[in-house]
Amino acid sequence: MPLRSDAPCLTRRRTAAWLAAALVLSAAPAVVAEPVVLRVGDQKGGNRSLLEISGYGKDLPYTIVWSEFPAAAPILEALNAGALDVGYTGDLSLLTAYAAGAPIKAIGGIKSDPRSQAILVREESPIRSAADLKGKRLAGTRGGWGQFLIDATLEKAGIKLEDATFAPLNPVDAKVALVAGSVDAWAVWEPYVSFATLQDKARVIADGEGLTPTITFVVASDSAIATKRAAVQDLLERLNRARLWSLDHLPEYARSTAALTRLPENVLLAAYSAQRTSPIGIDDGVVQEVQEAADRATRYGILGKRLDVSRVLDRSFTAPAPNAN
């Protein structure tokens, strides 16, 4: 199509208008943006140390205020109360908190080998397989991986849930109870599995293979997603890159974490090697896997009602998997 004869004139007018607008904007007083502060919940030897040792915690375009917690449950409580912007937790704990009304979303996460969740017994225990758990007292975390793995293992073995006794205990208390003999078995995850097998000579009689998603989610409050999105996205991408770095530096990562947590270095190296933890994006496959686990948890009575997990899994932060540098 031929150009209109007045096109050069129009172009000059538009250019003049743009220049005039630019002069007006440059003359206006500069508006200094408030510095962004992300309040992030962590556990000792967790995401903060991973970012630091990998080098991905440098040159942040925002400030992180770290708060250390003994477990994921209080991180979720702080997110719910508006005291944190970002934290992390296991898949079922996330769903339990969301079902209770917590204003949070999972924005990304990491996935471990499902065999890194296991049911342990004492070295001298007569229990040899899941079939021997009938009538036994089984310890695990209520509403999380521990209870779910116990119920799923019993179901797979053809044992009714009511034919075993569930003892809701946190990992520290459950370990003591197992060693003392006040519980018969303990459902837990790494690095507790490696610690118990290497240090206490515990035996694995069942694991999460084919039963549990084994996903730990990075979680953000709805408020942080709405008001600090760029910073939240940047932190997630740094965590993903740091996690990929760790896969190629397991001995160095274990040595660093051992110094922080006082856990034996050989235990951490065994745990990291077993987990092979990799970053994931939230896609159709993750949504489906977590939905199936949530439906099972509802059937077990861990969740009070069926959840549509797509409402708590935010896909908008998912980007192509980062390359390790």
Side-chain angles (χ1 to χ4, degrees), residues 3-311:
L3 292 173
R4 291 170 47 188
S5 60
D6 59 347
C9 183
L10 286 173
T11 300
R12 286 193 295 273
R13 290 173 185 171
R14 287 171 183 159
T15 301
W18 291 335
L19 287 172
L23 289 172
V24 170
L25 289 173
S26 64
V31 177
V32 179
E34 287 289 326
V36 174
V37 176
L38 280 185
R39 302 165 300 165
V40 182
D42 196 29
Q43 298 179 56
K44 186 179 291 294
N47 286 332
R48 181 179 186 177
S49 61
L50 176 60
L51 285 175
E52 290 175 353
I53 189 174
S54 66
Y56 287 104
K58 297 178 180 178
D59 302 321
L60 297 172
Y62 46 87
T63 299
I64 295 180
V65 175
W66 295 96
S67 296
E68 189 175 292
F69 295 82
I75 291 178
L76 286 168
E77 292 171 5
L79 282 163
N80 185 40
L84 289 178
D85 298 312
V86 179
Y88 62 99
T89 185
D91 39 50
L92 289 174
S93 295
L94 165 72
L95 298 180
T96 300
Y98 178 73
I104 56 177
K105 297 289 188 299
I107 60 172
I110 53 177
K111 185 174 178 63
S112 302
D113 190 307
R115 291 169 295 183
S116 62
Q117 293 180 18
I119 296 181
L120 307 173
V121 298
R122 293 182 299 281
E123 183 180 22
E124 71 280 5
S125 172
I127 299 173
R128 296 294 167 183
S129 70
D132 299 325
L133 294 176
K134 185 174 181 179
K136 299 300 190 289
R137 183 173 172 82
L138 315 176
T141 51
R142 184 186 296 279
W145 282 342
Q147 185 178 5
F148 183 90
L149 181 57
I150 287 170
D151 291 349
T153 300
L154 291 174
E155 182 180 56
K156 182 179 179 180
I159 301 172
K160 295 180 181 179
L161 302 189
E162 58 267 27
D163 287 341
T165 301
F166 174 62
L169 295 173
N170 65 51
V172 174
D173 292 338
K175 178 184 181 300
V176 172
L178 182 70
V179 172
S182 55
V183 298
D184 299 296
W186 172 29
V188 75
W189 52 89
E190 291 288 6
Y192 297 104
V193 173
S194 290
F195 190 96
T197 55
L198 292 174
Q199 304 291 108
D200 300 323
K201 306 304 179 184
R203 291 187 289 107
V204 173
I205 56 101
D207 60 43
E209 181 88 52
L211 299 178
T212 174
T214 325
I215 296 173
T216 298
F217 283 114
V218 178
V219 182
S221 69
D222 290 348
S223 174
I225 292 173
T227 62
K228 304 177 182 180
R229 184 181 181 92
V232 172
Q233 178 87 57
D234 181 81
L235 175 61
L236 176 62
E237 291 173 359
R238 287 171 184 266
L239 288 172
N240 287 344
R241 294 180 185 278
R243 184 61 61 183
L244 289 174
W245 173 92
S246 73
L247 289 173
D248 293 327
H249 301 81
L250 291 182
E252 184 180 352
Y253 182 32
R255 186 163 52 252
S256 171
T257 309
L260 291 170
T261 63
R262 307 300 181 190
L263 286 171
E265 187 176 330
N266 68 317
V267 166
L268 289 169
L269 181 57
Y272 294 158
S273 299
Q275 287 174 303
R276 299 301 299 175
T277 303
S278 300
I280 59 168
I282 298 177
D283 57 16
D284 289 346
V286 169
V287 172
Q288 180 179 347
E289 188 175 13
V290 176
Q291 184 66 65
E292 290 172 356
D295 291 344
R296 295 182 75 172
T298 303
R299 190 169 74 249
Y300 300 153
I302 296 173
L303 296 176
K305 61 180 181 180
R306 186 181 188 277
L307 295 179
D308 178 358
V309 303
S310 66
R311 294 180 177 273

